[in-house]
Amino acid sequence: MTKLFDLQLVFSSIPELLKYLPTTLFLTVIAAIIGLLLGLVIAVIRMKNIPVLSQLAVAFVSVMRGTPIIVQLYISYFGIPILLQYINYYRGTEYNINAIPGIVFAMVALGLNQSAFDSETIRAALQSVDKGQIEAAKSLGMSNGQVLRRIILPEAITVALPSLGNSLIALIKGTSLAFTCSVVEITAAGKILAGRNYRFFESYCSLAIIYWVLTFALEKVVAAIEKRLQVPEQPRQVKERDAILSKM
Amino acid sequence: MSLVEIRGLSKKYGDNVVLDKVDLDIEQGEVVAIIGPSGTGKSTLLRCLNLLEKPEEGTVKFDGVSFDLTKRNKKDTLALRQYTEMVFQQFNLFRQKTALENVMEGLRVVKKCSKSEAEKIALDELEKVGMSDRLYHYPRHLSGGQQQRVAIARALAMNPTLLLMDEPTSALDPELVSEVLVTIRKAAEDGNTILLVTHEMSFVKSVANKIVFLENGKIVEYGTPRDIFENPSSERLKEFLAHINMLEGAEYVI
């Protein structure tokens, strides 16, 4: 009987899979950035209750949260080319649909999906900053942009960080579905490699290890940032040198 | 010409008239206290002056520069806010910043001072309020009284034409009130022009140059502490002072 489970292969195929890790990471980073920026825009639109845009934002978030990510990836993969064909037809342009790499569709779908979830987190975090600090900042003469950048965001980030870290972890794992847009990231690579020797189980085990190590590292990074941003438990005392400085 | 001239200030919430055509002049270096029953628009009057509330009518002149308080474009609003600073009942320090950073914030962001310049001014102001031993404390490490002293330093660092104080001791534990009052008195003695809303009557009596008795959005009486506390002319003021037990030689004591 041949070996049912080849433990050695689980580890020996990891280096081969890691060659595709940059694709996974690139996809994650771009989708996370799209998600954060668009999420912030949606959050602000909903907080300011801007007519029309606010209703559109609510509908968008509802649809994005109410449909599976794999369906969204398919819609992006097939929908964007159709949209471009329409544009080509009506505007007389000549965009080459086949020239668009699959990863773009995956970035769009994952980024939009991410923005829907992030927008709720960001909105809750922004609203948690108490009005008093905002009034104080305005009284000092800060513009709305300065108040947002200097006062609201620094505090809102500490509130939002744990949830955003969660959603980033979900996103990393979500990129494993990008093969639906013909993107070869590590999961797709695992399947392809396993196709050579039919050792699918071993390949999936290797993938599980890689994803787990990746998210474990990410958890640590998020925790470290959280600790850094937190107001320290104990205040730093004024040293003598500072006291002299203050007398100058 | 007075340093600050408020004319025809009116504010309504729906049908409820909070301020009804208030006129008030404040001279350079004066401490003007606003007293009156709760809900009569004392805080609203202050908050209209830096447009945290939007009045329906009114103009204000700072140092000869006139502002229409009903104009709400961003540029005018920011320009107006350069003339005043506010000390709040709830201190409203920036929680993510240390005492020193709190005081430096306005200097750096609004006045565009260099870091060393801002630091120098901030250290100076914190020294004046007796907080130079707690420069790196965050608001959560400070007591209410200490927070309010930092907030006063933050306001004074901006060198405002008029300092607005909105019940600065109302949120404090009784034993912390005096340290803040001492700080305010010092700010007054340093020549700052202050418009103050407070319920600390004995403090008002000793520090204020002028007192405004506000009721139902109108200035019912205006005068020196002596006029107000010893010779109240209106029945309403007499009643109010009797109520808070401040009428000198009252015929009855509650």
Side-chain angles (χ1 to χ4, degrees), chain B residues 150-215:
Chain B
V150 173
I152 291 170
R154 174 175 70 180
L156 289 177
M158 299 295 281
N159 196 16
T161 306
L162 179 65
L163 180 62
L164 305 167
M165 299 187 127
D166 188 4
E167 303 198 26
T169 56
S170 298
L172 295 172
D173 291 343
E175 77 265 28
L176 301 177
V177 169
S178 70
E179 64 179 71
V180 172
L181 292 182
V182 166
T183 310
I184 298 173
R185 185 190 297 269
K186 195 153 170 269
E189 283 163 1
D190 285 348
N192 291 292
T193 312
I194 301 174
L195 184 58
L196 168 77
V197 171
T198 184
H199 295 291
E200 299 288 335
M201 291 304 157
S202 39
F203 178 69
V204 164
K205 222 172 136 184
S206 65
V207 170
N209 305 98
K210 296 280 167 52
I211 296 177
V212 174
F213 177 61
L214 199 67
E215 200 192 28

Side-chain angles (χ1 to χ4, degrees), chain A residues 128 130 132-133 135-144 146 150-151 154-155 158 229 231-239 242 245-248, chain B residues 47 50 52 74 78 81-82 84-86 88 92-97 105-106 109-110 112 123 127 132-138 140-141 154 158:
Chain A
S128 77
D130 88 310
Q133 289 182 71
E135 286 189 345
K138 285 185 175 172
S139 300
L140 284 175
M142 290 194 209
S143 67
N144 288 340
Q146 286 170 332
R150 307 275 318 175
I151 308 301
E155 190 172 332
T158 62
L229 291 180
V231 171
E233 206 62 47
Q234 290 298 323
R236 185 155 75 84
Q237 296 301 329
V238 178
K239 293 192 194 80
D242 296 320
L245 202 83
S246 72
K247 294 248 158 56
M248 274 176 12
Chain B
R47 294 167 60 85
N50 65 358
L52 287 180
K74 281 179 188 160
L78 291 182
R81 285 179 179 156
Q82 303 277 315
T84 58
E85 287 307 328
M86 191 173 241
F88 297 85
N92 295 351
L93 290 182
F94 307 129
R95 281 189 229 153
Q96 297 290 119
K97 298 182 197 297
E105 186 68 11
V109 178
V110 180
K112 311 279 182 209
L123 287 170
E127 171 99 54
S132 43
D133 56 339
R134 288 183 168 76
L135 300 178
Y136 309 121
H137 283 49
Y138 286 85
R140 58 173 281 202
H141 302 135
R154 174 175 70 180
M158 299 295 281

Side-chain angles (χ1 to χ4, degrees), chain B residues 2-4 26-30 63 161 191-193:
Chain B
S2 306
L3 182 72
V4 182
I26 302 168
E27 306 295 334
Q28 172 84 49
E30 249 182 1
D63 228 351
T161 306
N192 291 292
T193 312

Side-chain angles (χ1 to χ4, degrees), chain A residues 114-136:
Chain A
Q114 199 67 5
S115 75
F117 286 92
D118 286 355
S119 73
E120 291 294 289
T121 306
I122 293 170
R123 189 165 64 102
L126 290 176
Q127 278 170 342
S128 77
V129 179
D130 88 310
K131 295 276 169 298
Q133 289 182 71
I134 297 169
E135 286 189 345

Side-chain angles (χ1 to χ4, degrees), chain B residues 17-41:
Chain B
V17 179
V18 185
L19 292 174
D20 189 7
K21 296 198 168 52
V22 171
D23 297 339
L24 183 64
D25 284 2
I26 302 168
E27 306 295 334
Q28 172 84 49
E30 249 182 1
V31 177
V32 178
I34 306 175
I35 61 170
S38 51
T40 51

Side-chain angles (χ1 to χ4, degrees), chain A residues 6-123:
Chain A
D6 187 347
L7 185 64
Q8 216 184 348
L9 188 63
V10 170
F11 292 100
S12 63
S13 59
I14 285 179
E16 191 70 19
L17 291 173
L18 285 181
K19 285 181 191 159
Y20 296 89
L21 186 63
T23 313
T24 295
L25 293 180
F26 181 62
L27 192 55
T28 306
V29 168
I30 300 293
I33 292 171
I34 296 175
L36 277 179
L37 293 181
L38 191 60
L40 180 63
V41 171
I42 293 173
V44 172
I45 287 174
R46 289 195 59 185
M47 277 171 68
K48 297 226 163 186
N49 222 342
I50 300 168
V52 186
L53 283 180
S54 179
Q55 281 79 359
L56 281 176
V58 173
F60 172 79
V61 170
S62 172
V63 169
M64 287 318 252
R65 294 208 297 182
T67 51
I69 178 74
I70 192 156
V71 173
Q72 292 166 8
L73 281 159
Y74 278 128
I75 288 177
S76 169
Y77 190 55
F78 293 108
I80 292 177
I82 292 175
L83 185 73
L84 278 179
Q85 267 173 323
Y86 266 105
I87 293 173
N88 279 348
Y89 185 78
Y90 286 106
R91 309 277 309 267
T93 48
E94 281 185 21
Y95 297 120
N96 184 1
I97 295 143
N98 298 322
I100 304 171
I103 198 163
V104 172
F105 303 119
M107 279 172 194
V108 170
L110 290 170
L112 293 183
N113 180 277
Q114 199 67 5
S115 75
F117 286 92
D118 286 355
S119 73
E120 291 294 289
T121 306
I122 293 170
R123 189 165 64 102

